[in-house]
Amino acid sequence: MGDKVAELIENEWYIVRNSGETPEIALHSALYYLTLSKDGPRINLSEEQVAWLRQAAVDRFYEIIVRDLQHANHGTSSYRGITRSIINYRRFCTFCERQKISRSVLQQSAAAALLNFLETEVAEVRRRQRPSIIDCSGEALRSFAADLGVELASRFAELAELCPEVQ
């Protein structure tokens, strides 16, 4: 029975880890299936097993947030833009509150990725290679940066010119 339970949990971990844009929903679905569903195995999960599944959701959140802060991803089919990263980061923060976990591990990585993205973007636009690919307002970008603990004003004076006007 132990190997079967381990396999069931591993299968659910895989689903959560590769859950697309909704890792929190996938986590709750996995927990429901494993513990409560009449069609599921109805097993009692240890704290360690729940934590393992929760970490799969955190890892997936990391991927979808940082993916859209990787400048090199622009122009690929997986790229969604800074706006999508902002949305996913806010979902992640809500997830952390509900799960009573710290957002700091992802916050630091996202902050570094945002800084790298903006440095690359400012340099490329300055060389007039193309129009800016920043897809959020300056206000949204400043708010996101503040959430991440990043101060933009002193580093990127020209940022307001790169952000689209809010309609």
Side-chain angles (χ1 to χ4, degrees):
M1 180 71 174
D3 287 343
K4 179 69 172 159
V5 169
E7 182 180 341
L8 287 166
I9 295 169
E10 185 174 337
N11 288 343
E12 292 303 310
W13 176 92
Y14 184 81
I15 291 169
V16 173
R17 185 63 183 82
N18 297 287
S19 58
E21 300 285 316
T22 57
E24 184 173 18
I25 293 170
L27 173 64
H28 289 293
S29 294
L31 294 172
Y32 178 78
Y33 170 74
L34 291 168
T35 61
L36 298 172
S37 175
K38 67 179 182 173
D39 299 325
R42 293 186 171 201
I43 56 178
N44 291 321
L45 296 173
S46 70
E47 281 300 315
E48 183 179 284
Q49 291 165 324
V50 172
W52 190 55
L53 291 167
R54 187 181 301 119
Q55 187 60 46
V58 169
D59 292 344
R60 183 61 189 156
F61 268 116
Y62 172 82
E63 280 183 352
I64 64 176
I65 292 166
V66 173
R67 167 198 68 206
D68 295 321
L69 296 175
Q70 299 296 315
H71 204 276
N73 287 341
H74 179 260
T76 67
S77 62
S78 65
Y79 184 76
R80 306 285 185 271
I82 291 177
T83 298
R84 192 65 186 177
S85 188
I86 294 169
I87 290 166
N88 285 325
Y89 184 74
R90 293 201 172 122
R91 286 179 180 163
F92 173 72
C93 291
T94 301
F95 170 77
C96 290
E97 288 174 22
R98 288 182 184 144
Q99 297 294 317
K100 297 178 180 31
I101 59 175
S102 173
R103 65 184 180 155
S104 65
V105 57
L106 195 147
Q107 184 179 3
Q108 294 168 356
S109 298
L114 177 63
L115 284 172
N116 287 335
F117 180 96
L118 294 174
E119 287 168 358
T120 301
E121 182 63 5
V122 167
E124 285 189 11
V125 170
R126 194 177 290 149
R127 287 191 303 264
R128 305 219 184 266
Q129 292 180 348
R130 56 163 177 72
S132 177
I133 61 171
I134 295 175
D135 66 346
C136 62
S137 69
E139 182 180 329
L141 186 58
R142 284 187 298 278
S143 175
F144 182 43
D147 287 349
L148 296 175
V150 173
E151 197 282 313
L152 296 180
S154 64
R155 295 184 76 161
F156 303 104
E158 64 274 75
L159 208 51
E161 300 165 18
L162 303 180
C163 296
E165 293 296 318
V166 178
Q167 300 293 333

